[in-house]
């Protein structure tokens, strides 16, 4: 290699230089040495390391790029590309040390000879995969403009070939996870330039002939749009890019793409996900998307058509799952649209069923037999609809379904129908797969979380808790059984955590006792921990974006929102059970002191977390100041470098060499400062994430304190009430006994008078004295002492009926405590208001009228034409099929 390098340095013959470069390229090309089996496998890598060890060799290669001679430039480009393929990371660092190394490669994009330009695109693709500094240099060297000029010159997206594909890959490398390039791309209005790439109405061939290259190019363009609005991106960039997509008409073009005929399913799935991320959390974009109508008879909103495709088992799984992700994005931070979805399920006072709607489709897919994918997708969609909204959860309690049971149509609440499906599937009366049961449990968990009204309705059915107990107490060690045990235990814990104590049979204390007796605290905790330690749980929790879009249908398990809910409530449930276990060991007289000590302990923990947050804030401020200082230093070094470059162009060769050396040193220092600045940004993000975790922990502790204090106060209140009732009962017994004694004494005096016995006047006067003043008369006390044995004999006799005494006590108790009726009536207030939640004995409720046959949610919508015939004719759909998409 040294001989070949010397030839390149000393020779002036272009052909000889080109041959030397080609020889070096063949030496380092692994494909040239595959035929020789006796050579080491990494021989080419070793040659590459030897060559790039000396920076002068690389500098020589880049100097040859300035030669306009075709043979020399092309051979140099091929050799540089081969070196990068063999040692990518080392070459990225070396290129930054070469004067104008990256700029020379960018200049090759303007070369009129396409073969050199195309190889330059490949070099930039390999250089920009992981190096952020090179990405920034290309962006600020007018790289975006030159790449887009090449795309337009090669026929754009629809008519372009592999060169367009390479250009889009290069754009993705420049923009992905590079926030400075993304900001520059947005501010320079490059988003406006990519809008015209979606002009699909140019020719009939573009609408019908979807070649593999066209599909690949459009897929890369969709990825380019997604990378700017991805959920894990910076929030401000997402907001600005979403506004720009709407302003320049890109969102409208994406919606047109969804309705375009003949689009391949893979590309259509990606387009649906792209639309979802463009509208996610943006009210204006969500409103625009809701107004898009699909060309059908009659025209329907595009979201309705998409949901019909989602519950169609004939559609590919990746398309159905992408529709769910788009629906989740459509509802994200949009309470109005969530309320509209629930409104489609609520009872209607007038009018029949005119057309299918969102709520009907979701309920149809939720209970579709033999289609666990529809069950899972619709359960997750409903869970996202009611998440973080107690109002919508309470509204959903009013929803009732018309169910055919034994040739009769019966109205059943949606919540109870979910539990009926679970219990029937466990009894093998119906066939619902594992994923279906898990999805329904996730929906119920979301429903019960933070909603005491839903918990009351759930507990009002005495069969629900025994089912959860039977599932949670199972001893099977199979993976699916352990997951069912964990999720069932979580539902049971939520019923205990958000219990309002209105269902006497299943109060929080009684549920704790049931768990301790049937399952055990340690076993219950282990079942909950199994879910949080499961691989699918941890994988889903790390991906806020649609985590199940790349999995197979049989691997469907957890949803991202459910994992967040599980993480926030698991600790509260376990702590609630452990506090109960500790309370049983305490003396009731020390309950107040224990509560105070617990409050002090939690207050100490909260203070510690607050101190940590203050420290983190101080560190964040320090990092921000350091980041600003480094940025200023870096900008100053860049200014100095530009001045030195300007001076070097006007100086003599020795001074030029000195300036170039100084420029190289400044570039290295600038790169180091930029790397340090990037590290500071990463640490700043890490500190902000830790701060968020600490704040969430504080909120959880405060919630736990409130729950614990409420439970202890309820326990004390119940004890005081029991003591008060006992005292009242004792008082009534004493008064009754005193009255009986007085009556018996009067009877004995009458008997004595009838038998001729003398009774003194004092004794007669004592009959008129009130019972509470008998002890004040000394004479009457002395005379009453003459007949103590007679009084006791009468008391011991059976002349007086005990039933009369008990009746008197009950009547007195009812008269003495009028507040009891008021409290009872207030506790039944919710039951009176929620009468539609019970199964009616007369007319059906919710979408069931007196003159129209009830709508059956369990009818499975496979095709729109079937749903129309079912709705208008009130009979089974015909076998005609119509492609939804």
């Amino acid at each position: 290699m040294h001989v070949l390098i010397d030839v390149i340095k000393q020779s002036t013959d272009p052909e000889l230089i080109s041959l030397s470069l080609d020889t070096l390229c063949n030496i380092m090309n692994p494909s040239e040495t595959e035929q020789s089996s006796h050579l080491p496998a990494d021989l080419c890598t070793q040659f590459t390391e030897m060559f790039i060890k000396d920076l002068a060799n690389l500098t020589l290669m880049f100097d040859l790029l300035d030669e306009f001679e075709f043979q020399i430039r092309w051979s140099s480009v091929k050799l540089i590309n081969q070196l990068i393929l063999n040692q990518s990371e080392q070459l990225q660092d070396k290129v930054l040390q070469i004067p104008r190394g990256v700029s020379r490669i960018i200049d090759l994009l303007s070369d009129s000879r396409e073969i050199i330009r195309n190889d330059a695109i490949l070099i930039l693709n390999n250089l920009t995969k992981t190096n952020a500094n090179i990405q920034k240099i290309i962006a600020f060297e007018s790289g975006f403009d030159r790449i887009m000029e090449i795309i337009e010159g090669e026929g754009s997206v629809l008519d372009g070939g592999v060169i367009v594909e390479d250009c889009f890959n290069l754009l993705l490398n420049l923009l992905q996870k590079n926030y400075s390039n993304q900001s520059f791309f947005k501010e320079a209005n490059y988003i406006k330039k990519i809008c015209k790439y979606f002009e699909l109405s140019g020719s009939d061939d573009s609408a019908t002939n979807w070649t593999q290259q066209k599909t690949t190019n459009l897929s890369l363009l969709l990825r380019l749009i997604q990378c700017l609005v991805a959920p894990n991106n910076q929030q401000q960039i997402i907001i600005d890019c979403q506004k720009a997509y709407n302003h320049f008409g890109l969102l409208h073009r994406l919606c047109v793409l969804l309705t375009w005929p003949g689009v391949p399913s893979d590309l259509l799935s990606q387009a649906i996900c792209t639309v979802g991320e463009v509208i996610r959390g943006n009210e204006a974009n969500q409103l625009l998307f809701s107004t898009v109508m699909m060309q059908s008879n009659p025209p329907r909103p595009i979201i309705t058509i998409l949901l019909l495709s989602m519950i169609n088992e004939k559609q590919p799984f990746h398309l159905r799952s992408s529709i769910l992700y788009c629906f989740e994005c459509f509802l994200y931070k949009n309470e109005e649209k969530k309320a509209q979805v629930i409104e489609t399920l609520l009872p209607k006072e007038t009018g029949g069923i005119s057309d299918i709607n969102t709520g009907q489709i979701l309920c149809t897919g939720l209970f579709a037999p033999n289609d666990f994918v529809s069950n899972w997708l619709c359960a997750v969609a409903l869970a996202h609809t009611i998440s973080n909204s107690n109002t919508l959860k309470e509204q959903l309690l009013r929803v009732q379904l018309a169910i055919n049971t034994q040739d009769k149509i019966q109205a059943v609440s949606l919540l109870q129908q979910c539990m009926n499906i679970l219990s029937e599937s466990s009894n093998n009366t119906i066939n619902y797969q594992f994923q279906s049961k898990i999805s329904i449990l996730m929906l119920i968990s979301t429903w019960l979380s933070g909603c005491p009204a839903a918990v009351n309705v759930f507990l009002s059915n005495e069969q629900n808790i025994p089912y959860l107990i039977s599932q949670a107490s199972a001893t099977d060690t199979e993976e699916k059984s352990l997951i069912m045990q964990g999720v069932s235990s979580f539902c049971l814990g939520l019923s205990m955590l958000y219990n309002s104590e209105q269902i006497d049979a299943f109060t929080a204390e009684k549920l704790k006792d049931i768990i301790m007796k049937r399952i055990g605290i340690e076993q219950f905790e282990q079942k909950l921990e199994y879910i949080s330690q499961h691989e699918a749980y941890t994988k889903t929790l790390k991906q806020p974006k649609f985590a199940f879009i790349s999995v197979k249908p049989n691997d469907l398990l957890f949803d991202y929102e459910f994992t967040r809910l599980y993480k926030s409530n698991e600790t509260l449930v376990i702590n609630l059970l452990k506090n109960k276990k500790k309370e049983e060991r305490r003396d009731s007289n020390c309950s107040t002191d224990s509560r105070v000590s617990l409050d002090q302990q939690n207050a100490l923990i909260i203070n510690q977390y607050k101190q940590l947050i203050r420290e983190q804030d101080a560190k964040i401020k320090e990092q921000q100041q350091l980041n600003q200082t480094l940025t200023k230093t870096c900008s100053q070094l860049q200014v100095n470098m530009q001045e030195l470059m300007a001076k070097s162009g006007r100086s003599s060769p020795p001074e030029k060499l000195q300036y170039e050396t100084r420029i190289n040193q400044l570039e290295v220092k600038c790169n180091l400062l930029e790397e340090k600045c990037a590290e500071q940004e990463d640490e700043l993000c890490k500190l902000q994430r830790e701060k968020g975790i600490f704040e969430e922990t504080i909120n959880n502790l405060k919630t736990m304190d409130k729950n614990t204090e409420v439970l202890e106060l309820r326990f004390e209140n119940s004890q005081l009430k029991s003591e008060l009732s006992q005292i009242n009962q004792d008082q009534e017994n004493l008064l009754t006994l005193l009255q009986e004694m007085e009556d018996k004494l009067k009877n004995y005096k009458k008997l004595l008078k009838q038998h001729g016995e003398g009774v003194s006047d004092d004794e007669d006067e004592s009959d008129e004295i009130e019972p509470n003043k008998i002890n004040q008369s000394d004479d009457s006390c002395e005379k009453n002492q003459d007949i103590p044995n007679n009084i006791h004999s009468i008391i011991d006799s059976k002349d007086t009926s005990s039933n009369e005494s008990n009746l008197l006590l009950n009547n007195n108790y009812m008269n003495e405590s009028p507040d009891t009726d008021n409290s009872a009536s207030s506790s039944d207030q919710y039951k009176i208001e929620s009468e539609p939640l019970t199964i009616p004995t007369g007319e059906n409720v919710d979408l069931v009228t007196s003159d129209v046959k009830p709508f059956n949610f369990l009818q499975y919508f496979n095709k729109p034409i079937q749903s129309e015939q079912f709705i208008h004719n009130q009979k089974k759909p015909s076998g005609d099929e119509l492609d939804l998409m």
Side-chain angles (χ1 to χ4, degrees), residues 584-597:
E584 291 181 348
R585 301 174 184 173
R586 298 174 189 160
D587 187 37
S588 60
N589 296 329
C590 301
S591 60
T592 305
D593 296 336
S594 63
R595 188 177 73 246
V596 173
S597 61

Side-chain angles (χ1 to χ4, degrees), residues 24-26 28-31 44 48 77-87 123:
L24 287 173
C25 186
N26 292 333
M28 299 175 190
N29 190 350
S31 61
C44 297
T48 303
V77 169
K78 289 191 296 182
L79 179 57
I80 292 173
N81 193 19
Q82 189 61 54
L83 293 173
I84 295 173
L85 291 175
N86 293 343
Q87 291 289 338
I123 291 175

Side-chain angles (χ1 to χ4, degrees), residues 459-678:
L459 296 177
S460 62
N461 191 308
E462 297 180 353
Q463 298 178 357
N464 293 341
I465 293 298
Y467 170 79
L468 294 179
I469 291 293
S470 64
Q471 294 294 323
S473 60
T475 57
D476 295 342
T477 57
E478 187 183 0
E479 181 183 6
K480 292 183 178 180
S481 179
L482 291 173
I483 294 174
M484 278 293 296
Q485 296 171 29
V487 181
S488 300
S489 300
F490 183 64
C491 289
L492 194 59
L494 293 177
S495 302
M496 179 180 57
L497 186 62
Y498 298 103
N499 197 316
S500 61
E501 309 293 335
Q502 294 186 9
I503 308 299
D504 295 335
F506 298 111
T507 61
E509 298 297 327
K510 291 181 179 179
L511 288 177
K512 291 178 188 178
D513 294 336
I514 294 173
I515 292 173
M516 293 176 64
K517 293 177 182 179
R518 295 287 303 275
I519 304 174
I521 301 298
E522 295 180 358
Q523 288 77 8
F524 190 84
E525 185 177 355
Q526 289 175 1
K527 294 178 187 295
L528 290 177
E529 288 179 351
Y530 180 81
I531 300 296
S532 58
Q533 295 173 0
H534 197 273
E535 180 182 1
Y537 175 89
T538 55
K539 182 179 179 181
T540 305
L541 190 60
K542 292 179 181 178
Q543 298 180 358
K545 188 180 176 181
F546 197 48
F548 52 89
I549 197 169
S550 60
V551 302
K552 298 178 181 179
N554 291 329
D555 296 332
L556 283 175
L557 201 55
F558 299 122
D559 175 58
Y560 173 74
E561 290 297 329
F562 172 76
T563 57
R564 291 185 62 223
L565 176 68
Y566 194 94
K567 182 180 179 181
S568 60
N569 286 277
E570 178 191 8
T571 306
L572 297 178
V573 172
I574 294 175
N575 289 339
L576 185 60
L577 283 174
K578 288 184 176 180
N579 289 338
K580 167 64 178 175
K581 191 174 180 181
K582 292 177 181 178
E583 285 176 4
E584 291 181 348
R585 301 174 184 173
R586 298 174 189 160
D587 187 37
S588 60
N589 296 329
C590 301
S591 60
T592 305
D593 296 336
S594 63
R595 188 177 73 246
V596 173
S597 61
L598 182 62
D599 293 341
Q600 292 176 352
Q601 183 180 0
N602 290 337
L604 180 61
I605 295 174
I606 291 174
N607 290 332
Q608 291 177 353
Y609 277 117
K610 287 182 178 179
Q611 182 63 28
L612 285 174
I613 290 174
R614 283 193 288 268
E615 293 177 359
Q616 296 289 359
D617 287 336
K619 289 182 180 179
I620 289 173
K621 291 180 181 179
E622 292 178 1
Q623 297 293 342
Q624 288 176 345
Q625 292 177 357
L626 182 59
N627 192 7
Q628 292 176 358
T629 304
L630 292 174
T631 304
K632 292 179 181 179
T633 306
C634 182
S635 60
Q636 184 63 36
L637 290 174
Q638 288 178 349
V639 172
N640 295 338
M641 183 176 64
Q642 292 175 358
E643 293 177 355
L644 291 174
M645 291 174 64
K647 292 181 181 178
S648 63
R650 302 189 300 268
S651 304
S652 58
E655 292 179 351
K656 184 177 182 180
L657 180 61
Q658 182 179 0
Y659 284 134
E660 288 182 352
T661 305
R662 178 61 177 164
I663 289 172
N664 293 335
Q665 293 176 355
L666 290 174
E667 284 182 344
V668 172
K669 189 179 293 186
C670 184
N671 293 332
L672 292 175
L673 288 174
E674 287 180 350
E675 292 177 359
K676 194 169 183 180
C677 185

Side-chain angles (χ1 to χ4, degrees), residues 141-159:
E141 288 279 349
S142 302
F144 289 134
D145 291 320
R146 300 189 183 187
I147 295 170
M148 288 186 175
E149 289 175 0
I150 296 173
I151 292 174
E152 294 173 2
E154 291 292 328
S156 190
V157 177
L158 300 181
D159 299 327

Side-chain angles (χ1 to χ4, degrees), residues 322-341:
S322 62
I323 292 173
L324 174 60
Y325 180 59
C326 183
F327 185 70
E328 292 175 359
C329 295
F330 177 65
L331 298 180
Y332 184 70
K333 292 184 179 180
N334 195 334
E335 298 300 325
E336 181 181 357
K337 296 301 179 184
K338 289 181 180 180
Q340 290 177 2
V341 173

Side-chain angles (χ1 to χ4, degrees), residues 720-736:
L720 292 174
K721 284 183 178 179
S722 61
E723 291 178 0
L724 179 60
S725 63
Q726 184 64 32
I727 291 172
N728 290 333
Q729 185 176 2
D730 293 342
Q731 183 183 2
E732 294 295 334
N733 290 334
L734 289 174
L735 291 174
T736 304

Side-chain angles (χ1 to χ4, degrees), residues 279-288 333-334 336-337:
I279 67 175
R280 186 176 185 268
N282 189 291
E283 185 177 357
N285 292 0
Q286 290 169 341
L287 180 61
L288 175 62
K333 292 184 179 180
N334 195 334
E336 181 181 357
K337 296 301 179 184

